[in-house]
Amino acid sequence: MTVTVKKMIEDGGYYDFSVLAGHAGLNSREVKTVCVIDTPDIFGWIRGGEFLISSGFIFRDDPLAMVRVVEDSAAAGAAAFGVKVDRFLGSIPKEVFRAADLCSFPLIEIPAYYNHNDIINPVLTNLINSQAKLLDLSESVRNDFFEIIMNDGDIERILERLRAFLKRDVMFIDAYDGKRIAVGSEHFRNDAAMQNRETLLQSYRHEQVRMADRTYGYLLLGDGESSDPYDEIPMTHAKTTLLLRLQRDLAQRETERRYIEQFVQDILRRALRTPQEIWDRARIYRWHLEGPQVVLFFKDASQSPPESTERQYRLCLNMLASRFGSFPHSQMNGGLVCILPQIPQEWQSFKETLAETLETILDAVASMTGSSPRVGVGSPRENIFLCDKGFREAQKSLDLTQTTPRSKKTTFWDDLGVYRILTHVHTSEDARDFVDSHLAALIEYDGEGKDALVSTLAAIIRHNWHLKSAASELGIHYNTIKYRFRKICELLGEEELEPTLRLELFLAVELLEMGKNDR
């Protein structure tokens, strides 16, 4: 416990001491010992926390020497300076008062009838008693929290004990999964449930629960009685106890996570022999994997650092779990794969709901992390044993969001149409030859700095060969697009484009765009 100059005076019963100057330091300067000075040249001897006392004899011939004593002592971290004025000095120069006020260094007048031992012994006794009380309290608090750990107490039990010591509401926010645990008033618990982490940290006094360079969470304190100088003891022991509990929980979670991820990867790699084997193991994790399944594959398109990507995946998992309950999941192939079990037979209706849910999740994660998460969704599979195909479809769906001009945050495999075929061939030499045979003349024309015929053709195709609609998208006059379309036909050697050629041009333009995005 800190013994301030003010507390030293009060606890020692020194009501006849007079504080002459430096009042601002009464509550901020800590007393650790008492020293009698017999020379003005004391700067090199001060270690900090000294209550310096003097009879005044050494200043009898030069009272202004006290100015340097005050300034040097304050700079070196001494607590205060007490001097007997009446015995040898009679008065103290105003310059000394000014120096004490400027340094916030208490200058105290000690009555002449005090013996030095009357000051030294009580102050040192109080300091020793204070330290003994501190040690006793620390031991008692440590034992309380140690008992919680030994009895496998959870985080809520730790917080309840801390609240009893501090007499104020307390909350813990887990830095790993964002979970909040609050004990205290209804208003405080409502805040914990409704406010985001940043708002809570701004609204309440808090301390980090950390070890080395890792932050495990935040301990928040609500309003309560006036702060007790001993509050730091239960806070310190509570943080230590939380660290022990959190490290154990993290070790358990990490072990479970490895088993889960290995199991899910075994499913998706067909390493398990029968559906029954999968169902039996799934029940360990309380998963019911009978019936249709659908596979989701999340990936960060913004190339965030690993810790940010990890947070994205945790957020996606938590939000999905709040909607669909527990389900198999694993990080693999550079992303997060999730298997949603027990999909309703009516796929189209469920698909609409799933699409809305995924869009909401991706928007929320992007807002909270500043990233660009994407998700691919495979086609529904009638049982868990076929989910390896759904996983490949989900991956390809996600890959196609990077290679097509129609990129979306959520891509369903069964919405991709012809792209499901193009994704297999778009990097091949045959695909490049196909593009060259249909578009080489247009590409060469554009390369000479003339009209953008390839992009014009792409717009016309997007608008189902309606020139007016394409002109509106491109922001050009209708006569301009008619001229460009005639030029396209001329370079292709055709007076008009037959249905078969239109299909081929559509494929060529799509393969060209996919090839650009591959580079």
Side-chain angles (χ1 to χ4, degrees):
M1 174 186 173
T2 300
V3 178
T4 63
V5 177
K6 181 179 180 182
K7 184 170 178 58
M8 177 199 71
I9 294 172
E10 292 174 349
D11 290 353
Y14 302 124
Y15 299 110
D16 44 0
F17 281 15
S18 297
V19 181
L20 304 176
H23 294 77
L26 289 172
N27 287 313
S28 59
R29 291 190 177 267
E30 180 183 357
V31 178
K32 298 179 180 178
T33 188
V34 184
C35 295
V36 179
I37 62 172
D38 57 5
T39 174
D41 186 15
I42 63 171
F43 183 77
W45 303 97
I46 295 176
R47 297 294 178 265
E50 293 89 352
F51 176 37
L52 306 170
I53 59 176
S54 172
S55 66
F57 179 79
I58 58 174
F59 303 110
R60 179 181 59 181
D61 297 328
D62 185 12
L64 286 174
M66 280 191 286
V67 172
R68 183 180 177 190
V69 170
V70 167
E71 292 175 342
D72 288 352
S73 301
F81 178 35
V83 61
K84 296 179 181 181
V85 179
D86 292 341
R87 187 171 182 188
F88 296 107
L89 297 173
S91 65
I92 295 177
K94 293 180 179 179
E95 290 85 348
V96 181
F97 294 161
R98 283 197 293 270
D101 285 333
L102 285 172
C103 297
S104 298
F105 185 68
L107 178 64
I108 301 170
E109 180 181 355
I110 300 174
Y113 50 78
Y114 270 90
N115 182 290
H116 286 334
N117 286 335
D118 295 336
I119 302 171
I120 295 173
N121 291 337
V123 171
L124 293 181
T125 298
N126 284 338
L127 287 171
I128 293 171
N129 289 340
S130 176
Q131 290 300 316
K133 183 179 179 182
L134 193 66
L135 290 172
D136 288 344
L137 177 61
S138 182
E139 181 69 10
S140 174
V141 173
R142 186 191 70 82
N143 289 338
D144 275 7
F145 283 112
F146 182 73
E147 184 179 355
I148 292 174
I149 286 294
M150 293 302 295
N151 292 324
D152 198 28
D154 57 14
I155 291 176
E156 186 171 359
R157 179 73 185 92
I158 297 170
L159 297 182
E160 287 171 349
R161 194 73 194 101
L162 179 60
R163 182 173 183 248
F165 279 120
L166 301 182
K167 297 180 175 58
R168 62 177 61 203
D169 300 337
V170 291
M171 179 197 314
F172 178 72
I173 302 177
D174 194 318
Y176 177 79
D177 57 14
K179 183 179 179 181
R180 296 93 176 271
I181 303 174
V183 296
S185 66
E186 183 179 356
H187 169 75
F188 188 73
R189 286 182 281 111
N190 286 339
D191 263 6
M194 301 301 295
Q195 301 293 344
N196 60 46
R197 187 178 76 175
E198 287 68 26
T199 300
L200 289 170
L201 295 179
Q202 290 173 3
S203 302
Y204 295 102
R205 174 195 158 189
H206 65 275
E207 295 187 17
Q208 290 187 6
V209 179
R210 62 182 293 119
M211 178 178 288
D213 60 348
R214 178 171 183 175
T215 298
Y216 288 82
Y218 304 87
L219 196 55
L220 286 70
L221 302 181
D223 297 332
E225 298 178 6
S226 59
S227 180
D228 189 296
Y230 290 104
D231 281 356
E232 192 58 33
I233 294 173
M235 281 290 290
T236 299
H237 285 296
K239 288 193 289 185
T240 301
T241 308
L242 282 169
L243 278 172
L244 292 172
R245 179 74 214 195
L246 290 166
Q247 287 177 324
R248 187 178 72 176
D249 290 348
L250 283 173
Q252 291 176 341
R253 282 202 296 252
E254 182 62 22
T255 300
E256 183 176 320
R257 183 185 67 83
R258 286 199 298 268
Y259 279 116
I260 289 175
E261 292 202 340
Q262 186 60 56
F263 175 41
V264 174
Q265 290 172 23
D266 286 345
I267 293 174
L268 298 177
R269 290 168 179 162
R270 283 289 192 100
L272 301 173
R273 296 180 181 178
T274 65
Q276 189 64 49
E277 183 181 358
I278 298 174
W279 297 335
D280 291 343
R281 287 182 59 179
R283 291 189 183 96
I284 298 173
Y285 305 108
R286 298 177 182 174
W287 297 333
H288 300 285
L289 302 185
E290 298 84 353
Q293 326 280 319
V294 66
V295 180
L296 317 178
F297 188 64
F298 292 88
K299 203 167 185 179
D300 177 24
S302 57
Q303 303 299 315
S304 301
E307 59 272 17
S308 176
T309 302
E310 182 72 25
R311 185 179 177 217
Q312 292 176 47
Y313 294 162
R314 287 201 305 271
L315 290 168
C316 289
L317 285 173
N318 290 341
M319 293 180 191
L320 272 175
S322 68
R323 173 65 178 81
F324 298 106
S326 181
F327 52 83
H329 59 272
S330 174
Q331 289 188 39
M332 59 186 296
N333 293 17
L336 171 69
V337 58
C338 303
I339 303 175
L340 296 186
Q342 298 182 313
I343 299 303
Q345 293 291 341
E346 179 47 55
W347 166 242
Q348 283 304 125
S349 176
F350 177 79
K351 178 181 172 183
E352 293 176 7
T353 301
L354 179 61
E356 293 177 2
T357 301
L358 292 174
E359 287 291 318
T360 300
I361 289 174
L362 294 177
D363 287 343
V365 172
S367 174
M368 287 187 278
T369 63
S371 59
S372 301
R374 297 287 186 268
V375 62
V377 184
S379 58
R381 295 292 163 177
E382 53 267 34
N383 65 62
I384 191 68
F385 211 55
L386 301 176
C387 278
D388 59 316
K389 295 181 180 178
F391 176 47
R392 290 194 294 272
E393 292 172 353
Q395 282 186 288
K396 291 176 182 177
S397 299
L398 196 58
D399 291 341
L400 281 170
T401 66
Q402 310 301 318
T403 58
T404 70
R406 298 170 178 81
S407 177
K408 297 179 180 179
K409 288 182 289 186
T410 302
T411 307
F412 286 81
W413 177 254
D414 53 9
D415 286 343
L416 289 174
V418 70
Y419 292 105
R420 290 157 60 174
I421 299 173
L422 296 184
T423 187
H424 293 288
V425 301
H426 76 278
T427 59
S428 68
E429 185 175 348
D430 287 340
R432 289 191 290 272
D433 290 343
F434 184 82
V435 171
D436 288 342
S437 66
H438 288 79
L439 301 179
L442 306 186
I443 294 171
E444 182 181 355
Y445 184 86
D446 289 349
E448 295 174 358
K450 300 177 182 178
D451 295 323
L453 297 186
V454 174
S455 60
T456 300
L457 177 60
I460 293 171
I461 292 172
R462 281 197 297 275
H463 289 275
N464 199 24
W465 304 92
H466 293 153
L467 299 187
K468 282 188 177 181
S469 298
S472 178
E473 178 194 319
L474 296 173
I476 59 178
H477 195 274
Y478 179 55
N479 289 336
T480 301
I481 201 167
K482 285 199 299 182
Y483 165 77
R484 290 185 185 179
F485 185 63
R486 285 196 299 272
K487 191 66 179 178
I488 290 170
C489 293
E490 176 187 328
L491 291 172
L492 293 176
E494 301 287 342
E495 291 187 5
E496 59 180 74
L497 305 182
E498 297 295 331
T500 300
L501 180 57
R502 290 189 178 194
L503 173 60
E504 292 174 356
L505 289 173
F506 161 73
L507 295 174
V509 168
E510 294 301 323
L511 288 170
L512 177 65
E513 289 298 324
M514 293 171 75
K516 287 179 182 177
N517 288 319
D518 278 339
R519 290 194 287 271

